[in-house]
Amino acid sequence: MRRLAKECDVGVMTLYGYVRTKDDVLEALANRLLRSLELPVDDTLPWQQHVVEVLCSMRSVLLKYPELLSIVATQRLDGIEAYRGAESLFRALGAAGLEGRQAVDAFNALASFTIGSVQREVGLDRTNGGQFPGLRTLPHDEFPHVINVAGHLVTADPEASFTAGLDLLIAGIERSAEPRGD
């Protein structure tokens, strides 16, 4: 808080007049950055497309503001902008036929996948250019499946991988829910 107060050129006690804790500062920052989420406004979209649009927007925001990653991964966000995104997803999940605990479980799976996917993408961008040098040394008889997909691991396009993973999650949601219409 002292460092932040110094950066803002205010006294620490002045800063405490606006926020009580570091977590409050992080939540305010997350809420501000989440304002840039582009949520679907077309109520006629199929629920699957609605989910894709929300999470692709979330991915874009997280890639644009990677400092937001650690906040959304470790904090319970309680700001209006986080709730706007949640409301949008829960509306789509409700259209899929999910309610209560099942909707929350699907929401958590989708959010965790999105956050984890971006964390991995940002992390791989910062190390080895996404390469896996240990693959070359793996014994084929112990790791035949890993070696079989090694080319795909090394050349994977993060956006295509995200979309494919999202499709898998949506297919799972479709199988576990009784559709009520789009």
Side-chain angles (χ1 to χ4, degrees):
M1 293 297 272
R2 284 188 180 98
R3 228 174 55 216
L4 179 60
K6 183 177 180 182
E7 191 70 31
C8 295
D9 198 27
V10 297
V12 175
M13 295 314 292
T14 302
L15 188 57
Y16 278 116
Y18 294 95
V19 291
R20 294 172 301 149
T21 66
K22 176 184 168 187
D23 288 345
D24 290 346
V25 173
L26 294 175
E27 185 176 316
L29 174 62
N31 203 47
R32 182 166 186 224
L33 296 178
L34 288 173
R35 267 188 219 133
S36 59
L37 269 178
E38 294 179 17
L39 302 174
V41 292
D42 183 356
D43 289 335
T44 65
L45 281 179
W47 72 265
Q48 299 91 330
Q49 185 61 36
H50 188 110
V51 168
V52 167
E53 288 188 19
V54 171
L55 295 176
C56 284
S57 179
M58 182 65 173
R59 178 179 178 270
S60 294
V61 169
L62 292 172
L63 287 170
K64 184 175 180 180
Y65 304 108
E67 61 276 11
L68 185 56
L69 271 169
S70 65
I71 300 169
V72 298
T74 62
Q75 305 283 322
R76 285 193 172 249
L77 300 181
D78 196 31
I80 191 83
E81 300 305 328
Y83 286 126
R84 282 188 209 288
E87 178 67 20
S88 188
L89 277 176
F90 282 122
R91 182 173 57 244
L93 293 171
L98 300 182
E99 296 177 355
R101 172 56 46 202
Q102 199 176 27
V104 169
D105 290 344
F107 174 87
N108 286 336
L110 291 164
S112 296
F113 169 74
T114 302
I115 294 164
S117 177
V118 176
Q119 283 178 317
R120 187 171 169 84
E121 182 175 349
V122 168
L124 288 176
D125 283 349
R126 294 180 183 165
T127 62
N128 298 340
Q131 301 300 309
F132 301 90
L135 283 173
R136 287 187 282 274
T137 64
L138 292 177
H140 190 276
D141 59 327
E142 287 183 58
F143 300 95
H145 298 96
V146 172
I147 291 169
N148 186 44
V149 298
H152 298 288
L153 284 171
V154 173
T155 61
D157 169 40
E159 186 172 0
S161 291
F162 175 76
T163 302
L166 197 50
D167 288 346
L168 288 170
L169 285 170
I170 289 171
I173 292 169
E174 287 174 329
R175 280 192 299 276
S176 68
E178 289 187 16
R180 293 188 286 186
D182 295 330

